């Protein structure tokens, strides 16, 4: 089980997601982020990628709750 790593860009809506297990279900990961609000784009390649939220608030809440989240 990997702990995903989360960081935010300067616009505060695009979130870097790192340390994603290559065996993880990406559809499930996308739904996990969508629980925090409208996702404009979701792009994971290999073990990292980006999630772009519509609002800064949603991105901030996702970071607060998912940084270090155990996802497998």
């Amino acid at each position: 089980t990997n702990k995903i790593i989360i960081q935010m860009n300067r616009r505060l809506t695009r979130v870097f997601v790192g340390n994603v297990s290559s065996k993880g279900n990406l559809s499930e990961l996308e739904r996990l982020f969508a629980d925090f609000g409208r996702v404009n784009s979701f792009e994971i390649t290999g073990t990292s990628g980006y999630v772009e939220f519509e609002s800064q608030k949603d991105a901030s809440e996702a970071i607060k709750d998912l940084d270090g989240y155990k996802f497998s």
Side-chain angles (χ1 to χ4, degrees):
T1 304
N2 289 0
K3 290 184 178 181
I4 60 175
I5 299 169
I6 309 271
Q7 296 175 341
M8 188 183 292
N9 71 336
R10 290 179 184 234
R11 291 189 328 228
L12 306 178
T13 57
R14 190 171 188 212
V15 177
F16 171 78
V17 182
N19 202 29
V20 176
S21 171
S22 59
K23 297 177 185 177
N25 181 328
L26 294 182
S27 295
E28 183 180 325
L29 183 61
E30 185 172 8
R31 282 191 299 275
L32 182 65
F33 281 97
D35 286 345
F36 292 90
R38 185 178 178 98
V39 173
N40 291 339
S41 66
F42 178 85
E43 185 177 333
I44 303 291
T45 305
T47 60
S48 64
Y50 294 92
V51 178
E52 178 88 33
F53 285 92
E54 189 168 288
S55 80
Q56 292 176 4
K57 179 180 174 273
D58 296 341
S60 293
E61 288 178 6
I63 288 173
K64 183 180 75 169
D65 289 356
L66 296 179
D67 190 27
Y69 182 85
K70 292 181 181 180
F71 179 77
S72 56

